[in-house]
Structures are given as C-alpha cells and as structure tokens.
Amino acid sequence: MEIRDRTPDDLGACTKALAEVQARDRYPVDWPRDPARWLTPDGMVRAWIAVEGEAVLGHVALTRDMEVTRLFVTPDARGRGLAARLLDTVRAAVETPLKLEVSSEGTAAIAFYERSGWRRVGSSRARWLNAAGEPALVYHYVSPPNTSRI
C-alpha cells in the first residue's frame, strides 16, 4: 500500500471507493450528482490517495485555507491505520496548523480525531441536512502541533 498524490486519472477509482463508503456510512450524507467534482472541492490545492494495486483504499484533500476535507477509508481497508497515515501525509506537506469539520453524526470520525490529538474549537450549523433532515451540527477542529517540523 502506498500513499501518493491523486491525479485526474484516479477519479474513477476514487468515485468507486467513495460509493463503498457512502453505502456503509452515509458519507457524504447525500450522493453527489457529480462525485468527481465533489472530490475536487473549490479551493482544493492538493489531494492524496492510499492505493493498493489498482484499488483506491483512502482519500484526503487539502484546501487553500488549510482545511482537511474529503477524508475517507473504504470499509474493507479500515483498521490498518490508513486514516492516520493520510492525515500525517497532509500534515507533513504544510507548516501551518490544519483545520477540519466533521458532522456530529460521525461518531467514529470524532473519536479518531480526538484520539489523534485534534482539538474541537467550535461548532456551527451546516447548510446541508443531516440524516434527520435538519441542518447538520458540524464540529470544528484544529490539528495538534506538528512536532515533525522545526
């Protein structure tokens, strides 16, 4: 398994992986009309994938305002530390603190971020709806200090 920069040619395999995640976890809550476009949000500056052979096992993107987004690992690849490795890859690529948002419904993701040292700094209501059809409650996090850089 390797983590590498995502290329435009990877978007088909990324969409397939995202479909597996959405079927299991409802992430994203609603399937996007254009999944490749969803995986390439406005302001994205870079994206990485975890691959094994031809299969995409995980994905993460970074926006110009230093927000980690579109992080997921396929159900069959979980438990191998891929989410942590993807986050470490993003953190190694930048010198500034990172931020991210996660839905309050994402209890496994919240537990992972908090175990990894991310700190919740606030919450807000999203423009998109949660599983109950209400504006989602979103938690805002900042990364722990990056001790790998001097």
Side-chain angles (χ1 to χ4, degrees):
M1 195 280 310
E2 72 170 312
I3 294 178
R4 63 171 174 77
D5 283 293
R6 188 190 82 191
T7 70
D9 291 340
D10 295 319
L11 284 171
C14 291
T15 297
K16 181 178 185 272
L18 181 64
E20 294 173 27
V21 171
Q22 207 272 342
R24 171 75 61 90
D25 304 321
R26 273 196 87 220
Y27 176 77
V29 172
D30 295 311
W31 185 251
R33 287 183 200 173
D34 183 350
R37 175 75 182 104
W38 186 87
L39 287 165
T40 311
D42 291 338
M44 187 189 91
V45 294
R46 197 164 173 192
W48 297 264
I49 55 174
V51 294
E52 195 165 66
E54 300 289 317
V56 170
L57 306 179
H59 180 278
V60 67
L62 178 67
T63 66
R64 75 174 61 90
D65 63 349
M66 297 296 113
E67 183 173 354
V68 174
T69 189
R70 309 314 194 242
L71 173 62
F72 62 85
V73 173
T74 59
D76 290 343
R78 293 178 185 165
R80 297 170 53 184
L82 295 183
R85 288 184 61 194
L86 286 162
L87 278 179
D88 288 346
T89 299
V90 178
R91 291 186 66 216
V94 300
E95 294 184 22
T96 61
L98 299 169
K99 60 186 177 179
L100 61 80
E101 297 179 348
V102 61
S103 168
S104 64
E105 295 178 309
T107 55
I110 291 166
F112 165 71
Y113 296 133
E114 292 181 359
R115 275 193 318 270
S116 301
W118 288 70
R119 186 171 44 92
R120 188 184 310 180
V121 294
S123 62
S124 63
R125 289 288 174 181
R127 288 181 288 206
W128 49 272
L129 304 179
N130 63 16
E134 303 167 338
L137 176 60
V138 176
Y139 297 140
H140 305 272
Y141 284 84
V142 295
S143 63
N146 194 344
T147 57
S148 65
R149 291 190 177 260
I150 297 177

PDB file of all heavy atoms in Angstrom, residues 120-144:
ATOM      1  N   ARG A 120     -11.258  20.197  19.418  1.00  0.00           N
ATOM      2  CA  ARG A 120     -12.505  20.841  18.996  1.00  0.00           C
ATOM      3  C   ARG A 120     -12.491  22.283  19.469  1.00  0.00           C
ATOM      4  O   ARG A 120     -12.258  22.560  20.639  1.00  0.00           O
ATOM      5  CB  ARG A 120     -13.716  20.117  19.575  1.00  0.00           C
ATOM      6  CG  ARG A 120     -15.030  20.631  19.014  1.00  0.00           C
ATOM      7  CD  ARG A 120     -16.248  19.997  19.626  1.00  0.00           C
ATOM      8  NE  ARG A 120     -16.191  18.547  19.635  1.00  0.00           N
ATOM      9  CZ  ARG A 120     -17.140  17.777  20.130  1.00  0.00           C
ATOM     10  NH1 ARG A 120     -18.236  18.315  20.663  1.00  0.00           N
ATOM     11  NH2 ARG A 120     -17.025  16.466  20.126  1.00  0.00           N
ATOM     12  N   VAL A 121     -12.751  23.205  18.516  1.00  0.00           N
ATOM     13  CA  VAL A 121     -12.702  24.629  18.840  1.00  0.00           C
ATOM     14  C   VAL A 121     -14.032  25.341  18.639  1.00  0.00           C
ATOM     15  O   VAL A 121     -14.135  26.536  18.899  1.00  0.00           O
ATOM     16  CB  VAL A 121     -11.593  25.348  18.029  1.00  0.00           C
ATOM     17  CG1 VAL A 121     -10.219  24.834  18.450  1.00  0.00           C
ATOM     18  CG2 VAL A 121     -11.808  25.191  16.536  1.00  0.00           C
ATOM     19  N   GLY A 122     -15.037  24.623  18.192  1.00  0.00           N
ATOM     20  CA  GLY A 122     -16.339  25.255  17.994  1.00  0.00           C
ATOM     21  C   GLY A 122     -17.293  24.344  17.270  1.00  0.00           C
ATOM     22  O   GLY A 122     -16.977  23.193  16.932  1.00  0.00           O
ATOM     23  N   SER A 123     -18.466  24.877  17.023  1.00  0.00           N
ATOM     24  CA  SER A 123     -19.481  24.151  16.261  1.00  0.00           C
ATOM     25  C   SER A 123     -20.371  25.162  15.559  1.00  0.00           C
ATOM     26  O   SER A 123     -20.407  26.338  15.920  1.00  0.00           O
ATOM     27  CB  SER A 123     -20.311  23.244  17.179  1.00  0.00           C
ATOM     28  OG  SER A 123     -21.008  24.019  18.130  1.00  0.00           O
ATOM     29  N   SER A 124     -21.053  24.677  14.534  1.00  0.00           N
ATOM     30  CA  SER A 124     -21.980  25.523  13.787  1.00  0.00           C
ATOM     31  C   SER A 124     -22.988  24.624  13.078  1.00  0.00           C
ATOM     32  O   SER A 124     -22.832  23.405  13.046  1.00  0.00           O
ATOM     33  CB  SER A 124     -21.234  26.396  12.767  1.00  0.00           C
ATOM     34  OG  SER A 124     -20.592  25.588  11.800  1.00  0.00           O
ATOM     35  N   ARG A 125     -23.980  25.241  12.508  1.00  0.00           N
ATOM     36  CA  ARG A 125     -24.961  24.505  11.704  1.00  0.00           C
ATOM     37  C   ARG A 125     -24.561  24.627  10.239  1.00  0.00           C
ATOM     38  O   ARG A 125     -24.211  25.703   9.755  1.00  0.00           O
ATOM     39  CB  ARG A 125     -26.374  25.061  11.899  1.00  0.00           C
ATOM     40  CG  ARG A 125     -26.961  24.766  13.256  1.00  0.00           C
ATOM     41  CD  ARG A 125     -27.332  23.313  13.385  1.00  0.00           C
ATOM     42  NE  ARG A 125     -27.762  22.997  14.747  1.00  0.00           N
ATOM     43  CZ  ARG A 125     -28.127  21.805  15.131  1.00  0.00           C
ATOM     44  NH1 ARG A 125     -28.135  20.797  14.263  1.00  0.00           N
ATOM     45  NH2 ARG A 125     -28.489  21.580  16.359  1.00  0.00           N
ATOM     46  N   ALA A 126     -24.621  23.506   9.543  1.00  0.00           N
ATOM     47  CA  ALA A 126     -24.256  23.467   8.125  1.00  0.00           C
ATOM     48  C   ALA A 126     -25.441  23.864   7.253  1.00  0.00           C
ATOM     49  O   ALA A 126     -26.586  23.898   7.707  1.00  0.00           O
ATOM     50  CB  ALA A 126     -23.788  22.062   7.760  1.00  0.00           C
ATOM     51  N   ARG A 127     -25.149  24.107   5.981  1.00  0.00           N
ATOM     52  CA  ARG A 127     -26.218  24.388   5.009  1.00  0.00           C
ATOM     53  C   ARG A 127     -26.838  23.096   4.497  1.00  0.00           C
ATOM     54  O   ARG A 127     -27.909  23.111   3.941  1.00  0.00           O
ATOM     55  CB  ARG A 127     -25.673  25.208   3.850  1.00  0.00           C
ATOM     56  CG  ARG A 127     -25.379  26.643   4.241  1.00  0.00           C
ATOM     57  CD  ARG A 127     -24.877  27.418   3.086  1.00  0.00           C
ATOM     58  NE  ARG A 127     -23.508  26.947   2.826  1.00  0.00           N
ATOM     59  CZ  ARG A 127     -22.578  27.644   2.255  1.00  0.00           C
ATOM     60  NH1 ARG A 127     -22.847  28.836   1.800  1.00  0.00           N
ATOM     61  NH2 ARG A 127     -21.373  27.164   2.088  1.00  0.00           N
ATOM     62  N   TRP A 128     -26.146  21.979   4.665  1.00  0.00           N
ATOM     63  CA  TRP A 128     -26.672  20.693   4.232  1.00  0.00           C
ATOM     64  C   TRP A 128     -27.385  20.002   5.399  1.00  0.00           C
ATOM     65  O   TRP A 128     -27.198  20.372   6.549  1.00  0.00           O
ATOM     66  CB  TRP A 128     -25.568  19.817   3.635  1.00  0.00           C
ATOM     67  CG  TRP A 128     -24.335  19.708   4.473  1.00  0.00           C
ATOM     68  CD1 TRP A 128     -23.259  20.547   4.459  1.00  0.00           C
ATOM     69  CD2 TRP A 128     -24.049  18.720   5.461  1.00  0.00           C
ATOM     70  NE1 TRP A 128     -22.317  20.137   5.387  1.00  0.00           N
ATOM     71  CE2 TRP A 128     -22.779  19.022   6.014  1.00  0.00           C
ATOM     72  CE3 TRP A 128     -24.734  17.605   5.931  1.00  0.00           C
ATOM     73  CZ2 TRP A 128     -22.198  18.239   7.004  1.00  0.00           C
ATOM     74  CZ3 TRP A 128     -24.150  16.836   6.918  1.00  0.00           C
ATOM     75  CH2 TRP A 128     -22.900  17.152   7.434  1.00  0.00           C
ATOM     76  N   LEU A 129     -28.210  19.021   5.069  1.00  0.00           N
ATOM     77  CA  LEU A 129     -29.058  18.381   6.071  1.00  0.00           C
ATOM     78  C   LEU A 129     -28.470  17.066   6.557  1.00  0.00           C
ATOM     79  O   LEU A 129     -27.865  16.319   5.791  1.00  0.00           O
ATOM     80  CB  LEU A 129     -30.448  18.135   5.489  1.00  0.00           C
ATOM     81  CG  LEU A 129     -31.167  19.376   4.945  1.00  0.00           C
ATOM     82  CD1 LEU A 129     -32.528  18.990   4.379  1.00  0.00           C
ATOM     83  CD2 LEU A 129     -31.292  20.453   6.012  1.00  0.00           C
ATOM     84  N   ASN A 130     -28.688  16.783   7.831  1.00  0.00           N
ATOM     85  CA  ASN A 130     -28.238  15.520   8.399  1.00  0.00           C
ATOM     86  C   ASN A 130     -29.267  14.415   8.113  1.00  0.00           C
ATOM     87  O   ASN A 130     -30.241  14.642   7.384  1.00  0.00           O
ATOM     88  CB  ASN A 130     -27.970  15.674   9.902  1.00  0.00           C
ATOM     89  CG  ASN A 130     -29.222  16.026  10.690  1.00  0.00           C
ATOM     90  OD1 ASN A 130     -30.355  15.882  10.231  1.00  0.00           O
ATOM     91  ND2 ASN A 130     -29.020  16.491  11.910  1.00  0.00           N
ATOM     92  N   ALA A 131     -29.073  13.258   8.709  1.00  0.00           N
ATOM     93  CA  ALA A 131     -29.961  12.119   8.467  1.00  0.00           C
ATOM     94  C   ALA A 131     -31.389  12.394   8.908  1.00  0.00           C
ATOM     95  O   ALA A 131     -32.333  11.814   8.363  1.00  0.00           O
ATOM     96  CB  ALA A 131     -29.423  10.876   9.174  1.00  0.00           C
ATOM     97  N   ALA A 132     -31.588  13.285   9.885  1.00  0.00           N
ATOM     98  CA  ALA A 132     -32.924  13.629  10.359  1.00  0.00           C
ATOM     99  C   ALA A 132     -33.580  14.718   9.514  1.00  0.00           C
ATOM    100  O   ALA A 132     -34.712  15.107   9.783  1.00  0.00           O
ATOM    101  CB  ALA A 132     -32.857  14.078  11.819  1.00  0.00           C
ATOM    102  N   GLY A 133     -32.869  15.212   8.499  1.00  0.00           N
ATOM    103  CA  GLY A 133     -33.420  16.249   7.637  1.00  0.00           C
ATOM    104  C   GLY A 133     -33.299  17.653   8.210  1.00  0.00           C
ATOM    105  O   GLY A 133     -33.958  18.575   7.744  1.00  0.00           O
ATOM    106  N   GLU A 134     -32.447  17.826   9.208  1.00  0.00           N
ATOM    107  CA  GLU A 134     -32.217  19.129   9.822  1.00  0.00           C
ATOM    108  C   GLU A 134     -30.833  19.639   9.421  1.00  0.00           C
ATOM    109  O   GLU A 134     -29.968  18.838   9.070  1.00  0.00           O
ATOM    110  CB  GLU A 134     -32.260  18.992  11.352  1.00  0.00           C
ATOM    111  CG  GLU A 134     -33.553  18.415  11.864  1.00  0.00           C
ATOM    112  CD  GLU A 134     -33.446  17.994  13.333  1.00  0.00           C
ATOM    113  OE1 GLU A 134     -32.301  17.753  13.805  1.00  0.00           O
ATOM    114  OE2 GLU A 134     -34.482  17.906  13.982  1.00  0.00           O
ATOM    115  N   PRO A 135     -30.603  20.951   9.520  1.00  0.00           N
ATOM    116  CA  PRO A 135     -29.241  21.432   9.269  1.00  0.00           C
ATOM    117  C   PRO A 135     -28.262  20.707  10.200  1.00  0.00           C
ATOM    118  O   PRO A 135     -28.470  20.647  11.413  1.00  0.00           O
ATOM    119  CB  PRO A 135     -29.318  22.931   9.590  1.00  0.00           C
ATOM    120  CG  PRO A 135     -30.762  23.273   9.353  1.00  0.00           C
ATOM    121  CD  PRO A 135     -31.537  22.052   9.797  1.00  0.00           C
ATOM    122  N   ALA A 136     -27.247  20.127   9.606  1.00  0.00           N
ATOM    123  CA  ALA A 136     -26.300  19.310  10.370  1.00  0.00           C
ATOM    124  C   ALA A 136     -25.526  20.161  11.373  1.00  0.00           C
ATOM    125  O   ALA A 136     -25.165  21.299  11.086  1.00  0.00           O
ATOM    126  CB  ALA A 136     -25.331  18.619   9.430  1.00  0.00           C
ATOM    127  N   LEU A 137     -25.282  19.582  12.552  1.00  0.00           N
ATOM    128  CA  LEU A 137     -24.391  20.187  13.523  1.00  0.00           C
ATOM    129  C   LEU A 137     -22.977  19.751  13.145  1.00  0.00           C
ATOM    130  O   LEU A 137     -22.707  18.556  13.013  1.00  0.00           O
ATOM    131  CB  LEU A 137     -24.728  19.719  14.940  1.00  0.00           C
ATOM    132  CG  LEU A 137     -23.802  20.224  16.049  1.00  0.00           C
ATOM    133  CD1 LEU A 137     -23.814  21.753  16.130  1.00  0.00           C
ATOM    134  CD2 LEU A 137     -24.210  19.592  17.380  1.00  0.00           C
ATOM    135  N   VAL A 138     -22.110  20.728  12.920  1.00  0.00           N
ATOM    136  CA  VAL A 138     -20.745  20.454  12.481  1.00  0.00           C
ATOM    137  C   VAL A 138     -19.777  20.926  13.557  1.00  0.00           C
ATOM    138  O   VAL A 138     -19.897  22.052  14.059  1.00  0.00           O
ATOM    139  CB  VAL A 138     -20.458  21.189  11.144  1.00  0.00           C
ATOM    140  CG1 VAL A 138     -19.021  20.997  10.715  1.00  0.00           C
ATOM    141  CG2 VAL A 138     -21.408  20.694  10.058  1.00  0.00           C
ATOM    142  N   TYR A 139     -18.842  20.046  13.914  1.00  0.00           N
ATOM    143  CA  TYR A 139     -17.796  20.395  14.865  1.00  0.00           C
ATOM    144  C   TYR A 139     -16.558  20.846  14.099  1.00  0.00           C
ATOM    145  O   TYR A 139     -16.201  20.250  13.083  1.00  0.00           O
ATOM    146  CB  TYR A 139     -17.446  19.204  15.751  1.00  0.00           C
ATOM    147  CG  TYR A 139     -18.584  18.731  16.624  1.00  0.00           C
ATOM    148  CD1 TYR A 139     -18.797  17.385  16.808  1.00  0.00           C
ATOM    149  CD2 TYR A 139     -19.435  19.625  17.272  1.00  0.00           C
ATOM    150  CE1 TYR A 139     -19.834  16.930  17.618  1.00  0.00           C
ATOM    151  CE2 TYR A 139     -20.474  19.183  18.071  1.00  0.00           C
ATOM    152  CZ  TYR A 139     -20.664  17.828  18.248  1.00  0.00           C
ATOM    153  OH  TYR A 139     -21.688  17.389  19.038  1.00  0.00           O
ATOM    154  N   HIS A 140     -15.884  21.858  14.619  1.00  0.00           N
ATOM    155  CA  HIS A 140     -14.680  22.409  14.007  1.00  0.00           C
ATOM    156  C   HIS A 140     -13.472  21.998  14.855  1.00  0.00           C
ATOM    157  O   HIS A 140     -13.498  22.151  16.080  1.00  0.00           O
ATOM    158  CB  HIS A 140     -14.773  23.939  13.933  1.00  0.00           C
ATOM    159  CG  HIS A 140     -16.004  24.405  13.219  1.00  0.00           C
ATOM    160  ND1 HIS A 140     -16.033  24.589  11.861  1.00  0.00           N
ATOM    161  CD2 HIS A 140     -17.247  24.695  13.681  1.00  0.00           C
ATOM    162  CE1 HIS A 140     -17.255  24.987  11.514  1.00  0.00           C
ATOM    163  NE2 HIS A 140     -17.994  25.053  12.593  1.00  0.00           N
ATOM    164  N   TYR A 141     -12.436  21.516  14.191  1.00  0.00           N
ATOM    165  CA  TYR A 141     -11.236  21.023  14.864  1.00  0.00           C
ATOM    166  C   TYR A 141      -9.995  21.705  14.306  1.00  0.00           C
ATOM    167  O   TYR A 141      -9.979  22.112  13.141  1.00  0.00           O
ATOM    168  CB  TYR A 141     -11.080  19.517  14.652  1.00  0.00           C
ATOM    169  CG  TYR A 141     -12.011  18.681  15.498  1.00  0.00           C
ATOM    170  CD1 TYR A 141     -13.312  18.431  15.094  1.00  0.00           C
ATOM    171  CD2 TYR A 141     -11.575  18.149  16.706  1.00  0.00           C
ATOM    172  CE1 TYR A 141     -14.166  17.674  15.870  1.00  0.00           C
ATOM    173  CE2 TYR A 141     -12.430  17.382  17.487  1.00  0.00           C
ATOM    174  CZ  TYR A 141     -13.709  17.151  17.069  1.00  0.00           C
ATOM    175  OH  TYR A 141     -14.563  16.394  17.838  1.00  0.00           O
ATOM    176  N   VAL A 142      -8.945  21.783  15.139  1.00  0.00           N
ATOM    177  CA  VAL A 142      -7.619  22.206  14.695  1.00  0.00           C
ATOM    178  C   VAL A 142      -6.640  21.081  15.014  1.00  0.00           C
ATOM    179  O   VAL A 142      -6.818  20.330  15.970  1.00  0.00           O
ATOM    180  CB  VAL A 142      -7.152  23.535  15.334  1.00  0.00           C
ATOM    181  CG1 VAL A 142      -8.028  24.689  14.890  1.00  0.00           C
ATOM    182  CG2 VAL A 142      -7.090  23.434  16.835  1.00  0.00           C
ATOM    183  N   SER A 143      -5.607  20.998  14.191  1.00  0.00           N
ATOM    184  CA  SER A 143      -4.619  19.937  14.337  1.00  0.00           C
ATOM    185  C   SER A 143      -3.745  20.156  15.561  1.00  0.00           C
ATOM    186  O   SER A 143      -3.556  21.287  16.011  1.00  0.00           O
ATOM    187  CB  SER A 143      -3.747  19.856  13.086  1.00  0.00           C
ATOM    188  OG  SER A 143      -3.024  21.048  12.902  1.00  0.00           O
ATOM    189  N   PRO A 144      -3.194  19.061  16.063  1.00  0.00           N
ATOM    190  CA  PRO A 144      -2.216  19.209  17.147  1.00  0.00           C
ATOM    191  C   PRO A 144      -0.942  19.840  16.582  1.00  0.00           C
ATOM    192  O   PRO A 144      -0.747  19.874  15.376  1.00  0.00           O
ATOM    193  CB  PRO A 144      -1.974  17.763  17.595  1.00  0.00           C
ATOM    194  CG  PRO A 144      -2.357  16.914  16.437  1.00  0.00           C
ATOM    195  CD  PRO A 144      -3.417  17.675  15.682  1.00  0.00           C
TER     196      PRO A 144
END
